[in-house]
Amino acid sequence: MEELKVLDLSGIQFLSLPSSLYCLKNIRTLCLDRNLLEDVAIVGKLKTLEILSFLDSDIDQLPGEIGQLTRLKLLDLSHCLNLRYIAPNVISCLSQLEELYMGNTSIQWEVEGVDNQGQRNASLGELKCLSNLTALHLHIRDAGVMPQDLFFKKLKSYKIFIGDKWKWSSKYDLSTSRTLKLKINNSICLGPGIKTLLKVSEDLSLEEMNGVRNVLYELDMNGFPHLRHLLVKDCLELLYIIKSVAWNLAFPKLESLILRNLINLEKICHGQLNAGSFSKLRIMKIEKCDRLEYLFASSVAKNLTQLQEIEVTDCKNLKEIFGEESKDHGDEIETNDKIDFNQLCSLTLQRLPQFIKIGSDMRVVFPRLENLKLCSINIENTWLDQPLAMSSYSQCLKSLTVEECNGLKFLFSYSMVKSLNQLHKLVIGNS
């Protein structure tokens, strides 16, 4: 079958590939997914290959012969859990590569600059030879082996994890094509190549970023114009997500914001923001941020009309969801202003011992709230015991949970009970 161009041998359990493979003089695509393979050197004889996939296969090394595939455009090594060894200079020889998928492998990259005689494995510096690369999946467990000058000028799609704690998921989020997860012990490791990726990332996760105190200023002064999802956790030195006065535009496309265990975070935003900032935010989850007294200033709250879910847990000093910065920055908002969160359908407040109210000097209305959960909150003198506020969302409420809330006097006035025709779950515990 010398004219064969595509061969799929996925899921076939053989230790060595048939020697007759070298007869495929016109082969373009070879799939060896989900196989148990000990020796794949013969693949190097298929000089016409353009697509080669070992997805989810049991191979422990990629031999030097693979470097002979100089026409290769796509190489998929994803989820090859036992792959630890790639012969030096194999990757750098694949100069025509456009797509390289190496997520969830166990490769021990060498430090760039080790001479070939002492080098046991490939180095990440070889990626610099792939000038045509447009798609890359890569997990670098040790940031110390990453070259500072690693640039990807044509990269359009990527999923890059840096750090030893990230878990690679086999599920792909098709809504985002540029994902970056960083766990770096020293901000010096943030070379120009990584900062270039930060500017165009759509999904960004930051963990234990020592030396970083202000995400927006220190990582991307352009305001992350493409970012849609942001997770920040365990960054003990972080003081602000944004610290700026009259910033042009910050996070204009951000849809979800998750902050966890930021014990020194003083404010999410410090200073005035452009009206378009956070205007697409739908999901906000805050956990163990003990120095926060409120999430957003009232002036910023006006931008958050797309909010669908708010969840705040274990924040010891949080007093309000929407506070006021007028004393320091002259935010313009009149007392008793009203803000309608027409899209908000879920609100969860748990273990907030200092919590007082939703908004400062403003009336907050949730006309479409469906799920409300309150746990370990002192409800006395909060908004819940004021029937006027509860009536703003009682008609859509489907689930209400109130547990361990001291000071609770009543949930609903008699007139409000008649409007609760959508309520199908009511949990009251130790209140």
Side-chain angles (χ1 to χ4, degrees):
M1 299 188 291
E2 294 184 358
E3 298 302 318
L4 194 68
K5 294 185 178 180
V6 178
L7 178 60
D8 189 342
L9 295 175
S10 298
I12 300 176
Q13 300 302 313
F14 43 26
L15 297 181
S16 60
L17 294 170
S19 58
S20 56
L21 274 180
Y22 78 91
C23 297
L24 302 177
K25 305 298 183 181
N26 295 287
I27 189 75
R28 299 289 190 274
T29 298
L30 177 61
C31 293
L32 299 170
D33 301 347
R34 305 184 306 279
N35 285 332
L36 176 63
L37 299 168
E38 288 187 357
D39 184 5
V40 296
I42 192 174
V43 175
K45 295 183 178 181
L46 307 179
K47 304 296 180 60
T48 57
L49 264 184
E50 296 180 358
I51 297 175
L52 175 60
S53 178
F54 292 101
L55 173 67
D56 202 19
S57 286
D58 188 4
I59 58 174
D60 58 9
Q61 61 177 307
L62 203 65
E65 288 81 355
I66 301 298
Q68 301 174 29
L69 304 177
T70 55
R71 298 185 185 181
L72 205 61
K73 295 182 178 180
L74 186 153
L75 176 60
D76 194 345
L77 300 168
S78 302
H79 306 292
C80 293
L81 301 179
N82 294 320
L83 180 61
R84 292 177 172 81
Y85 176 84
I86 296 180
N89 301 320
V90 168
I91 295 177
S92 58
C93 288
L94 306 177
S95 58
Q96 299 302 311
L97 264 186
E98 298 175 5
E99 301 179 47
L100 177 59
Y101 303 107
M102 306 180 68
N104 205 21
T105 61
S106 301
I107 301 168
Q108 302 296 320
W109 300 98
E110 292 282 354
V111 177
E112 185 181 20
V114 176
D115 60 71
N116 290 336
Q117 293 181 351
Q119 191 171 356
R120 302 180 303 277
N121 214 336
S123 70
L124 287 168
E126 294 188 39
L127 296 176
K128 291 185 285 187
C129 298
L130 308 182
S131 58
N132 296 307
L133 204 63
T134 61
L136 175 64
H137 287 186
L138 183 65
H139 190 173
I140 306 170
R141 287 176 169 78
D142 181 5
V145 303
M146 185 174 56
Q148 289 284 309
D149 57 345
L150 190 59
F151 280 96
F152 301 103
K153 296 181 180 180
K154 297 182 180 181
L155 208 57
K156 297 179 181 179
S157 173
Y158 56 84
K159 188 175 182 180
I160 299 176
F161 294 5
I162 301 176
D164 56 358
K165 288 188 176 180
W166 301 114
K167 292 183 179 180
W168 195 281
S169 175
S170 59
K171 297 180 180 179
Y172 293 101
D173 184 357
L174 299 179
S175 64
T176 57
S177 60
R178 299 187 295 273
T179 298
L180 183 62
K181 296 189 177 185
L182 299 178
K183 176 184 176 293
I184 297 176
N185 293 326
N186 194 324
S187 59
I188 297 176
C189 296
L190 288 171
I194 294 299
K195 289 190 175 183
T196 299
L197 295 179
L198 280 167
K199 293 179 180 180
V200 295
S201 291
E202 295 178 324
D203 188 342
L204 175 62
S205 298
L206 306 174
E207 181 177 347
E208 297 183 20
M209 298 289 289
N210 295 336
V212 176
R213 295 190 174 190
N214 181 350
V215 169
L216 193 67
Y217 180 78
E218 296 183 35
L219 299 186
D220 182 17
M221 294 186 65
N222 294 319
F224 291 95
H226 303 282
L227 196 63
R228 296 172 58 187
H229 306 286
L230 175 62
L231 165 65
V232 186
K233 61 180 294 189
D234 300 331
C235 298
L236 305 185
E237 298 180 30
L238 191 67
L239 300 179
Y240 311 100
I241 303 299
I242 302 173
K243 182 183 179 182
S244 178
V245 177
W247 194 275
N248 290 329
L249 195 60
F251 301 108
K253 294 184 178 181
L254 194 69
E255 297 177 15
S256 67
L257 175 64
I258 301 175
L259 308 177
R260 292 176 179 159
N261 197 31
L262 307 179
I263 59 175
N264 287 308
L265 186 71
E266 296 180 2
K267 293 178 181 179
I268 295 176
C269 302
H270 182 62
Q272 292 180 322
L273 296 176
N274 184 286
S277 301
F278 292 102
S279 59
K280 302 293 184 181
L281 191 63
R282 296 185 295 108
I283 298 172
M284 182 166 57
K285 296 183 179 182
I286 314 296
E287 180 180 355
K288 294 183 179 179
C289 298
D290 290 340
R291 295 187 67 179
L292 280 181
E293 295 187 2
Y294 59 84
L295 302 186
F296 286 105
S298 302
S299 57
V300 179
K302 295 178 179 180
N303 301 340
L304 307 178
T305 57
Q306 301 299 314
L307 265 179
Q308 298 177 9
E309 179 181 353
I310 299 176
E311 181 178 317
V312 190
T313 304
D314 292 317
C315 296
K316 294 180 180 179
N317 290 302
L318 193 84
K319 298 179 175 65
E320 305 166 311
I321 301 298
F322 304 111
E324 197 55 61
E325 280 192 318
S326 57
K327 294 181 181 180
D328 298 325
H329 299 283
D331 292 346
E332 296 180 1
I333 185 167
E334 296 181 2
T335 303
N336 297 323
D337 269 5
K338 175 184 174 183
I339 299 182
D340 291 313
F341 289 92
N342 294 317
Q343 304 298 321
L344 195 79
C345 58
S346 180
L347 175 62
T348 299
L349 304 175
Q350 301 181 101
R351 296 181 292 280
L352 309 176
Q354 302 297 323
F355 187 76
I356 300 173
K357 53 189 174 180
I358 294 289
S360 176
D361 297 327
M362 57 186 287
R363 183 186 173 206
V364 178
V365 180
F366 306 132
R368 296 185 180 179
L369 190 66
E370 298 180 359
N371 303 296
L372 175 61
K373 184 176 182 179
L374 307 172
C375 296
S376 299
I377 295 176
N378 187 352
I379 290 184
E380 187 173 6
N381 297 324
T382 68
W383 94 104
L384 187 60
D385 66 351
Q386 301 172 16
L388 179 63
M390 281 292 291
S391 64
S392 66
Y393 53 77
S394 61
Q395 293 183 355
C396 295
L397 199 62
K398 295 180 179 180
S399 175
L400 174 62
T401 299
V402 181
E403 295 180 324
E404 300 181 6
C405 292
N406 298 326
L408 179 64
K409 298 176 182 178
F410 61 89
L411 287 177
F412 308 105
S413 66
Y414 177 74
S415 60
M416 289 172 58
V417 172
K418 295 185 291 185
S419 66
L420 294 171
N421 51 7
Q422 299 294 321
L423 188 67
H424 61 78
K425 180 180 178 181
L426 177 60
V427 178
I428 309 295
N430 296 330
S431 297

